[in-house]
């Protein structure tokens, strides 16, 4: 959830940058910085913590000039620190970046071999070094940036400046947003529209694979290969709220589409690919706390409880610690057995859910360690728990949870891998394989989101349904529960989730031609068994909707609708499968005309018991 702002014109650049960063503050950050061109060189000011710290620094030590770039950062590669804060400087270049460079280890090794020194642990700094290197070959800033981005794998939005070309910004975009604000004798660049609405409503949007050269008098857009792009600006008439919805009809749809970025933000700074390990320095339960954990209780409500059910799979598989999962509202009243060898983990988006909070308090009363996986910084639960692992999903405004859920899954996986490595139940090799799969996950997630138009069409066929079943197996069974919950709360259609193998123990009696059954059918060890469950449904006339990564004619013959998703590591399938189910619920509800962002009778944060 990093924020980007850039400016070139006649105003005081520092003030424009700070104002823009303030308007992006809701996205969260751990450090911030600006670089302003002052008397032929860059004044670089960076600080950890609140934006106010950066403002205080600028008050003490002003950066005066009319062009510059600014950034708020959530740590990715490397901890939150001043050295890791953006902008990064390499030689003649300063640069800010959102996203993750997946091949940064190889590039860093290459640059080191060429005598380059690094002053941070970030993947970003290597981009600045690449560009500076190409400038030394005689390229101008745009050409050097073009050559550098041709070397990058991963997602990025960058803005770069060079001392040699004052008053010029070069921006490039691949999978992470960049918007350019057009002014009169001044121009702006940002990661998000709200950052610029105080200055201009005329905006140019970069597409993936495009670059922009920006100075105070104009903007030149081109593709990475240099082909010039002619694009008319759009006038943004959105009020501030619509601007925050990013132009989507609902916050929910925006948040569904933010999920690839949200899980990147959860993983930031926590993956040690080289070592095959997980780094959780913000999660501290005391010295070597993991050694004597003999059991874990995972407690939450609603969607977060579904995340815990998947978390149990992760923790038991990788850390071999027995796990109990319970609803907050049940746990507190059943005299739970807790002792000092246990660890209680609560999972909550809001950090305010009364029943979940009560579980933490119960743990405190009994002298048991507690930890929270939470999204909202400094919420009640985070203040009560002994340690917190933040999900960094950014604000979730839609009442129905989407990006909070997939980031909870991601955080639980990180916790399981962390414990597995410390306790010796997971090898560095196995951990590295999973980390690699996690780093690559955003692309298949984007492919799954690209299915939205076909899911929208498909959803029309089910608007009149009165009941739905969702079935899955193993770690995808909780995703069936979550799919059913999403449909219920958004569309008010009755829906149930079951383990696929349970169908014949009762629920199969419900199957008729009017019953849509969503079958989660990923390629894994239980594929054949779930396929035969699906045939049981078919032979009773049920309308089958399959979500699968398998190309198989048999599936197409049996199913009424097939949602075909990309394949990912089986442990990451619960995250991937969540997306089409969210879209299905969203579009069924949309077609039924319900209030998607604020379904009836529901509240975003349930602070009553
Ligand atoms: C469903 C949903 C709820 C919440 C539940 C817990 O879409 O959002 O089921 O998951 O109320 O809320 P948090 O995570 O804030 O504790």
């Amino acid at each position: 959830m990093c924020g980007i702002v850039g400016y070139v014109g006649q105003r005081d650049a520092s003030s424009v940058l700070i104002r823009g960063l303030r308007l992006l503050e809701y996205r969260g950050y751990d450090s911030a910085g600006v670089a302003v061109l002052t008397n032929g060189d860059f004044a670089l000011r960076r600080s950890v913590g609140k934006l106010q710290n950066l403002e205080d620094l600028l008050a003490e030590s002003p950066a005066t000039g009319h062009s510059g770039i600014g950034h708020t950062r959530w740590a990715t590669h490397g901890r939150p620190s001043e050295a890791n804060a953006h902008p990064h400087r390499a030689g003649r270049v300063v640069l800010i970046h959102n996203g993750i460079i997946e091949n940064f280890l190889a590039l860093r090794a290459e640059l080191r071999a060429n005598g380059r020194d690094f002053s941070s642990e970030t993947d970003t700094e290597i981009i600045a070094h690449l560009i500076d290197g190409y400038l030394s070959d005689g390229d101008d800033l745009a050409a050097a940036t073009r050559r550098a981005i041709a070397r990058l794998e991963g997602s990025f939005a960058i803005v770069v400046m060079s001392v040699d070309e004052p008053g010029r910004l070069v921006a490039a975009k691949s999978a992470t947003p960049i918007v350019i604000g057009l002014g009169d004798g001044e121009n702006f660049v940002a990661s998000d529209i709200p950052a610029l609405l105080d200055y201009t409503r005329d905006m140019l949007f970069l597409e993936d694979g495009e670059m922009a050269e920006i100075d105070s008098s104009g903007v030149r857009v081109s593709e990475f290969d240099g082909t010039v792009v002619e694009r008319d600006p759009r006038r943004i008439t959105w009020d501030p709220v619509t601007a925050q919805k990013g132009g989507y009809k609902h916050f929910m749809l925006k948040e569904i589409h933010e999920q690839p970025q949200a899980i990147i933000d959860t993983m930031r700074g926590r993956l040690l690919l080289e070592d095959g390990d997980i780094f959780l320095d913000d999660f501290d339960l005391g010295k070597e706390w993991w050694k004597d954990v003999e059991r874990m209780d995972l407690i939450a409500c609603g969607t977060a409880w579904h995340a815990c059910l998947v978390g149990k799979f992760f923790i038991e598989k990788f850390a071999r610690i027995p796990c109990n999962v319970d609803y907050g509202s049940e746990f507190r009243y059943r005299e739970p057995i807790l002792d000092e060898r246990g660890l209680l983990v609560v999972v909550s988006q809001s950090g305010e859910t009364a029943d979940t909070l009560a579980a933490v308090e119960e743990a405190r009363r009994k002298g048991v360690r507690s930890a929270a996986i939470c999204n909202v910084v400094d919420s009640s639960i985070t203040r009560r728990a002994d340690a917190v692992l933040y999900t960094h999903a950014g604000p979730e405004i839609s009442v129905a949870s989407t990006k909070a859920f997939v980031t909870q899954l991601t955080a639980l996986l990180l916790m399981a891998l962390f414990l597995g490595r410390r306790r010796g139940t997971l090898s560095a090799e196995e951990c590295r394989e999973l980390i690699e799969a996690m780093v690559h996950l955003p692309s298949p997630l984007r492919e799954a989101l690209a299915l939205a138009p076909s899911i929208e069409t498909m959803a029309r066929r089910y608007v009149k349904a009165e009941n739905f079943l969702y079935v899955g197996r193993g770690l995808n069974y909780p995703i069936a529960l979550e799919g059913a919950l999403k449909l219920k709360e958004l569309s008010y259609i009755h829906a149930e989730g079951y383990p696929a193998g349970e169908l014949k123990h009762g629920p199969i009696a419900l199957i008729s031609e009017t019953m849509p059954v969503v079958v989660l059918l990923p390629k894994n060890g239980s594929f054949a068994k779930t396929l035969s469950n699906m045939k049981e449904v078919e032979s009773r006339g049920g309308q089958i909707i399959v979500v699968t990564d398998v190309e198989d004619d048999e599936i197409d013959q049996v199913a009424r609708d097939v949602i075909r998703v990309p394949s990912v590591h089986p442990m990451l399938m619960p995250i991937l499968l969540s997306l089409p189910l969210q879209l299905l619920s969203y579009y069924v509800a949309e077609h039924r005309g319900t209030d998607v962002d604020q379904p009836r009778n529901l509240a975003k944060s349930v602070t009553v018991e």
Side-chain angles (χ1 to χ4, degrees):
M1 299 301 288
C2 299
I4 277 181
V5 185
Y7 176 71
V8 51
Q10 310 312 319
R11 300 180 202 237
D12 172 46
S14 291
S15 315
V16 176
L17 299 176
I18 292 288
R19 173 94 192 112
L21 294 178
R22 270 250 174 273
L23 293 164
L24 297 180
E25 236 182 343
Y26 70 95
R27 299 154 55 95
Y29 55 90
D30 53 49
S31 52
V34 296
V36 173
L37 193 71
T38 309
N39 300 326
D41 201 4
F42 290 112
L44 191 61
R45 306 281 183 269
R46 303 184 293 190
S47 64
V48 175
K50 296 202 178 306
L51 204 52
Q52 188 60 49
N53 300 348
L54 179 62
E55 286 187 70
D56 293 347
L57 184 65
L58 283 164
E60 254 171 51
S61 172
T64 319
H66 303 294
S67 60
I69 52 180
H71 190 266
T72 46
R73 170 177 191 252
W74 267 123
T76 55
H77 292 83
R79 284 153 259 201
S81 67
E82 194 194 319
N84 288 339
H86 302 208
H88 285 284
R89 174 141 199 191
R92 324 185 68 72
V93 162
V94 286
L95 178 137
I96 51 180
H97 163 227
N98 284 358
I100 288 187
I101 303 305
E102 290 167 13
N103 59 335
F104 97 105
L105 288 176
L107 290 171
R108 194 174 61 186
E110 177 191 314
L111 287 161
R112 274 210 175 113
N114 292 338
R116 292 255 163 192
D117 287 331
F118 295 89
S119 54
S120 80
E121 302 157 323
T122 64
D123 52 347
T124 303
E125 195 184 355
I126 60 124
I127 317 175
H129 278 282
L130 279 175
I131 296 174
D132 185 55
Y134 295 135
L135 286 178
S136 309
D137 292 348
D139 286 347
D140 67 7
L141 183 61
T145 305
R146 230 180 268 293
R147 279 175 73 190
I149 56 189
R151 308 284 319 277
L152 305 179
E153 287 168 21
S155 64
F156 55 85
I158 57 169
V159 185
V160 56
M161 294 178 77
S162 154
V163 276
D164 296 330
E165 296 176 50
R168 167 165 294 238
L169 311 175
V170 173
K173 171 191 178 343
S174 172
T176 301
I178 285 275
V179 52
I180 297 159
L182 306 175
D184 187 8
E186 59 181 355
N187 286 308
F188 308 79
V189 60
S191 48
D192 300 76
I193 294 169
L196 305 183
L197 283 180
D198 278 359
Y199 301 105
T200 178
R201 289 186 166 265
D202 294 320
M203 313 244 177
L204 264 181
F205 294 86
L206 287 194
E207 300 292 344
D208 287 348
E210 289 180 354
M211 283 178 47
E213 294 156 66
I214 306 161
D215 59 31
S216 60
S217 58
V219 177
R220 181 176 181 274
V221 179
S222 57
E223 291 176 11
F224 287 171
D225 67 6
T227 313
V228 173
V229 175
E230 297 297 339
R231 175 157 313 131
D232 291 331
R234 271 172 57 194
R235 188 157 184 85
I236 301 298
T237 51
W238 301 341
D239 54 56
V241 174
T242 313
Q244 286 186 357
K245 282 185 195 160
Y248 287 100
K249 186 163 180 194
H250 295 102
F251 279 110
M252 182 180 175
L253 194 57
K254 173 174 181 267
E255 287 158 10
I256 287 175
H257 284 273
E258 280 173 355
Q259 291 177 110
Q261 186 61 43
I263 65 152
I264 290 173
D265 291 332
T266 311
M267 298 186 295
R268 276 173 203 280
R270 292 168 170 168
L271 306 180
L272 297 174
L273 185 59
E274 267 165 311
D275 303 348
D277 203 357
I278 301 296
F279 182 80
L280 298 182
D281 76 332
D282 53 340
F283 183 79
D284 187 7
L285 274 170
K287 196 163 177 281
E288 304 206 322
W289 61 270
W290 51 83
K291 271 194 168 156
D292 58 349
V293 177
E294 287 185 9
R295 49 168 283 177
M296 287 170 73
D297 287 278
L298 303 181
I299 312 295
C301 301
T303 287
W305 181 76
H306 297 149
C308 291
L309 292 177
V310 181
K312 173 181 164 77
F313 268 88
F314 291 155
I315 290 165
E316 293 189 342
K317 179 169 175 62
F318 297 122
R320 306 304 297 159
I321 302 173
C323 253
N324 162 59
V325 178
D326 214 340
Y327 290 111
S329 55
E330 290 295 313
F331 178 79
R332 58 189 301 197
Y333 299 114
R334 69 169 170 81
E335 294 190 42
I337 302 166
L338 296 173
D339 62 42
E340 67 282 359
R341 287 160 303 169
L343 171 66
L344 181 123
V345 178
V346 294
V347 178
S348 174
Q349 187 287 128
S350 63
E352 302 296 343
T353 302
D355 286 318
T356 310
L357 180 59
V360 182
E361 278 164 354
E362 179 74 11
R364 281 180 87 87
R365 256 193 308 278
K366 297 214 160 124
V368 174
R369 290 166 293 188
S370 63
I373 291 179
C374 195
N375 191 35
V376 178
V377 176
D378 212 27
S379 50
S380 303
I381 286 174
T382 67
R383 292 198 305 271
R384 301 286 206 297
D386 297 324
V388 185
L389 187 62
Y390 281 109
T391 50
H392 300 322
E396 190 178 66
I397 294 160
S398 156
V399 168
S401 192
T402 54
K403 63 176 180 170
F405 177 62
V406 297
T407 57
Q408 286 161 356
L409 296 178
T410 308
L412 283 159
L413 180 56
L414 290 173
M415 185 182 274
L417 298 178
F418 176 87
L419 284 168
R421 290 295 293 123
R422 300 282 153 320
R423 293 166 64 94
T425 48
L426 177 72
S427 70
E429 200 67 5
E430 288 169 289
C431 189
R432 200 172 301 126
E433 186 196 325
L434 268 146
I435 292 175
E436 209 142 339
M438 290 167 86
V439 168
H440 288 97
L441 184 61
S443 304
L445 293 186
R446 281 188 206 99
E447 285 175 49
L449 292 173
L451 300 171
S454 59
I455 296 176
E456 178 175 13
T457 310
M458 173 189 309
R460 284 190 192 281
R461 293 197 268 279
Y462 301 99
V463 279
K464 296 240 158 61
E466 286 173 6
N467 299 284
F468 255 74
L469 283 181
Y470 286 71
V471 295
R473 275 178 186 262
L475 79 172
N476 296 308
Y477 154 58
I479 304 306
L481 293 177
E482 173 60 10
L485 176 64
K486 230 52 336 155
L487 188 74
K488 278 187 265 220
E489 58 185 346
L490 293 175
S491 70
Y492 318 142
I493 294 174
H494 171 241
E496 300 288 342
Y498 280 99
E502 270 294 300
L503 272 184
K504 54 184 161 305
H505 298 286
I508 203 160
L510 294 168
I511 308 285
S512 72
E513 308 72 56
T514 57
M515 175 69 90
V517 183
V518 178
V519 181
L520 302 180
L521 189 62
K523 183 83 200 144
N524 61 19
S526 43
F527 175 80
K529 288 203 164 47
T530 312
L531 190 67
S532 58
N533 298 138
M534 187 170 110
K535 288 186 184 149
E536 290 159 15
V537 174
E538 185 214 8
S539 59
R540 285 149 184 95
Q543 306 171 22
I544 297 169
I545 304 167
V546 179
V547 189
T548 184
D549 57 339
V550 179
E551 295 282 348
D552 183 336
D553 291 345
E554 205 178 346
I555 297 175
D556 296 78
Q557 280 153 19
V558 172
R560 181 181 189 201
D561 281 305
V562 180
I563 301 176
R564 206 153 254 126
V565 293
S567 287
V568 295
H569 191 291
M571 286 292 137
L572 302 179
M573 243 328 164
I575 298 177
L576 183 83
L577 291 176
S578 302
L579 275 50
L581 298 193
Q582 294 162 351
L583 286 167
L584 182 64
S585 306
Y586 172 82
Y587 285 116
V588 170
E590 227 322 61
H591 295 321
R592 284 167 72 101
T594 57
D595 184 347
V596 173
D597 276 338
Q598 288 179 310
R600 70 186 181 201
N601 310 338
L602 293 179
K604 185 65 187 160
S605 131
V606 185
T607 52
V608 291
E609 295 170 14

